[in-house]
Amino acid sequence: MRSDRDFFNCSVSERKLEDGSIELYCGGSSYTPGGHVWGPNGESLQSNRDNSFDDFIDEDKYNYSEESYLSTPMKRLNLKGIANFEYSDDTNLFSEFTYAKRCSGQQMALQPVWFDFTYEESMGDSLVEHGINYRDSVSYGRRMSDTGTRDFSQVVDTVLTVIGAEVYLITIGLGMQR
């Protein structure tokens, strides 16, 4: 896991400081398990468990390193066979067989989702106090913490067979005179 290594245990983000320099910090994604709202005038709000909202700050970012693999676990099997049979001085028979199998898996952080909507009165007034008005276009994003991590696995089999013959021919050209 990425979180098992000190050099990768957090998702690195950067921010510009007042003096213009860049600072790296342990950050991550603005798609959080609780949800994040973006308003039409630059509002950026973090959703809380009690359905209230606070201004989104860097510390609210989601650290996706905790659930993601640093190294993909993989098992491989490779077999190869080559045969060559000299049938005669002019004929050679050959064959080749290759088999490869790979089993691997990936685990990534919770799935982020995003959608846009129009803020309506029927949705309550929790965004009004933050400068978002009814009928404003709003974006909402969150991590699907209720569905778990994104897990993938593959098993890939590859087979190659070649059978052939090499025949050495000697051609004799007959010249004709005019």
Side-chain angles (χ1 to χ4, degrees), residues 7-114:
F7 62 90
F8 234 138
N9 64 1
C10 73
S11 306
V12 177
S13 294
E14 64 180 45
R15 60 180 154 218
K16 191 177 239 183
L17 301 176
E18 289 181 19
D19 66 0
S21 64
I22 300 294
E23 175 187 43
L24 299 178
Y25 67 97
C26 189
S29 171
S30 58
Y31 291 85
T32 62
H36 187 156
V37 173
W38 293 270
N41 300 310
E43 299 89 356
S44 181
L45 306 172
Q46 174 62 39
S47 177
N48 299 314
R49 290 184 184 266
D50 63 357
N51 294 325
S52 66
F53 292 88
D54 293 318
D55 288 337
F56 185 85
I57 58 175
D58 289 338
E59 288 71 27
D60 290 328
K61 288 189 174 183
Y62 170 68
N63 182 8
Y64 49 83
S65 287
E66 294 177 356
E67 291 130 350
S68 299
Y69 285 159
L70 173 62
S71 177
T72 299
M74 179 173 47
K75 293 181 181 178
R76 291 184 298 201
L77 171 66
N78 294 303
L79 301 172
K80 183 165 184 121
I82 298 175
N84 197 29
F85 177 69
E86 191 174 311
Y87 183 72
S88 70
D89 289 343
D90 296 334
T91 305
N92 185 45
L93 304 175
F94 62 90
S95 68
E96 178 181 337
F97 173 79
T98 303
Y99 173 75
K101 182 179 192 107
R102 176 183 57 89
C103 302
S104 63
Q106 292 83 37
Q107 179 175 308
M108 296 172 56
L110 309 171
Q111 177 69 42
V113 296
W114 163 325

